[in-house]
Amino acid sequence: MPVLPILEYPDERLRTKASEVTNVDDSMRLLIDNMFETMYEAPGIGLAATQVNVHQRLIVIDVSDDRSEPHVFINPQLKLLEGEITHEEGCLSVPGQYENVDRVEFIEVTALDRNGREFTLTASGLLSVCIQHECDHLDGKLFVDYLSNLKRQRIRKKLLKSQRARG
Ligand code: NI
């Protein structure tokens, strides 16, 4: 299966607001499989369609150590419940950069699975952080947006430099 190219910050396409998925069909399932492949290969624990330049509301996640907990969320609807959690986040679109971000700890998410069936999941800890991070991507938001301007500019410069070095 092809591994899809991942957009990197500050690419403006990462700022696109994704559209609702209207049809969960075989082409969507192929995209899901390719996104998992891309995420595992990277390696990462979550990937939003936005990051592979597909602007539809779809994310894939697996926070396990052994690729045993794949989650697909299509048209995810987040309910932020309670609590606070601070976790050091990274992002495949912001390679090599890790910073603490404050999030809500307990969440509930309703979405469609790869067969177009609706389900609801409650999450906490790393899974919750990851779901919130990936849902942000669908609205064109990145974890660097939670940082100070100074930190964000520093990361921007670093990444532009390494992108230029790679040509
Ligand atoms: Ni990310």
Side-chain angles (χ1 to χ4, degrees):
M1 264 183 290
V3 171
L4 308 166
I6 297 175
L7 300 177
E8 287 184 13
Y9 180 73
D11 193 313
E12 277 302 311
R13 290 172 290 182
L14 288 167
R15 297 308 188 178
T16 311
K17 189 170 162 54
S19 312
E20 293 278 315
V21 173
T22 51
N23 195 15
V24 183
D25 55 11
D26 284 346
S27 69
M28 178 65 44
R29 281 183 282 274
L30 179 63
L31 172 63
I32 289 167
D33 290 341
N34 288 337
M35 282 174 59
F36 270 116
E37 179 85 3
T38 304
M39 179 188 81
Y40 287 135
E41 181 72 24
I45 58 173
L47 188 67
T50 306
Q51 294 176 272
V52 294
N53 203 26
V54 174
H55 301 288
Q56 301 209 45
R57 305 190 78 81
L58 160 66
I59 65 182
V60 300
I61 288 178
D62 189 341
V63 298
S64 74
D65 293 329
D66 56 358
R67 306 183 176 189
S68 61
E69 292 163 29
H71 290 283
V72 175
F73 301 90
I74 297 167
N75 298 339
Q77 306 260 25
L78 265 186
K79 240 188 250 172
L80 305 176
L81 299 178
E82 60 175 347
E84 287 168 30
I85 183 169
T86 302
H87 197 272
E88 189 176 65
E89 296 188 25
C91 179
L92 295 177
S93 294
V94 192
Q97 307 301 313
Y98 301 90
E99 296 287 345
N100 281 333
V101 177
D102 302 325
R103 305 260 187 196
V104 174
E105 161 121 62
F106 296 92
I107 63 165
E108 185 182 277
V109 56
T110 300
L112 302 179
D113 67 15
R114 62 181 291 134
N115 297 309
R117 291 191 201 102
E118 189 176 290
F119 68 98
T120 297
L121 179 83
T122 53
S124 61
L126 180 57
L127 181 59
S128 165
V129 167
C130 192
I131 292 169
Q132 291 174 73
H133 175 120
E134 301 310 330
C135 284
D136 274 352
H137 277 301
L138 302 180
D139 291 324
K141 192 165 184 181
L142 295 162
F143 85 93
V144 296
D145 299 343
Y146 294 93
L147 309 177
S148 68
N149 275 327
L150 186 69
K151 269 191 183 166
R152 190 165 51 254
Q153 289 312 317
R154 210 179 279 153
I155 288 172
R156 188 173 187 276
K157 271 187 202 155
K158 237 187 257 177
L159 291 187
L160 282 172
K161 199 176 161 192
S162 89
Q163 286 160 21
R164 271 196 301 269
R166 274 180 286 156

